[in-house]
Amino acid sequence: MAVNFSELLEALEFVSSGGSGENTAYLCKETGKIYWHSDWADDLEELPDDVEDSEQYIPVPDKRELDLGKPLVLTFARHHLPDDYDKVREIFSRAGAYARFKDLLEHRGAVDRWYDFEQKATEEAFKTWCADNDIEVSR
């Protein structure tokens, strides 16, 4: 069964939007249905009882599990902001890094380049994750 790639990307964003473990999503490999859960929302559908014990369900990863956090930022800086690479490394050595990174991007006029780079890298990493987990995707 093919799973809609856009829906899977939405689930990835959802899982990545909260703190560690606050938001989860599971893909049923048999039906292609995505089950969503959040510690902060009561209006989501109940998870199946066997979601964590069955090979039928696979948890949608967080972006950090796909190396789409700090490693991606450093790759972007190395290629698109080489004069600021050391500054970006310093920014990501402390808490609150993304806000400071976005400020730097704004000062350098590189916000759109970053978002394009991040989107392409996210899609490629997620396509690889899908292939590694035998998940057929459709657009």
Side-chain angles (χ1 to χ4, degrees):
M1 157 149 311
V3 181
N4 183 291
F5 189 67
S6 295
E7 289 178 20
L8 273 175
L9 278 174
E10 284 180 41
L12 174 70
E13 292 297 333
F14 173 76
V15 170
S16 302
S17 68
S20 183
E22 287 180 359
N23 296 334
T24 56
Y26 292 86
L27 170 67
C28 177
K29 292 176 83 171
E30 289 180 12
T31 66
K33 180 176 173 66
I34 299 171
Y35 293 88
W36 309 68
H37 175 75
S38 175
D39 289 346
W40 305 106
D42 294 331
D43 60 343
L44 299 175
E45 187 175 345
E46 282 289 317
L47 293 176
D49 290 335
D50 62 342
V51 75
E52 293 185 15
D53 300 324
S54 171
E55 291 188 19
Q56 175 182 349
Y57 302 97
I58 184 165
V60 175
D62 182 290
K63 284 183 174 186
R64 290 173 293 261
E65 295 174 60
L66 300 176
D67 284 332
L68 295 171
K70 180 180 175 179
L72 184 65
V73 169
L74 294 177
T75 299
F76 176 82
R78 186 177 306 112
H79 295 287
H80 297 278
L81 301 170
D83 294 340
D84 292 311
Y85 181 77
D86 289 335
K87 182 176 183 116
V88 172
R89 277 189 31 215
E90 179 194 330
I91 286 172
F92 277 84
S93 68
R94 308 185 304 280
Y98 277 98
R100 290 191 307 278
F101 177 61
K102 300 251 170 96
D103 287 343
L104 176 67
L105 291 173
E106 286 181 21
H107 280 35
R108 301 292 186 255
V111 173
D112 290 339
R113 272 189 295 163
W114 162 247
Y115 285 128
D116 288 343
F117 181 85
E118 181 185 37
Q119 183 64 34
K120 287 176 185 163
T122 299
E123 288 183 14
E124 286 304 311
F126 207 42
K127 284 178 187 174
T128 299
W129 178 84
C130 288
D132 290 348
N133 288 283
D134 298 320
I135 298 168
E136 181 184 345
V137 293
S138 65
R139 279 276 167 184

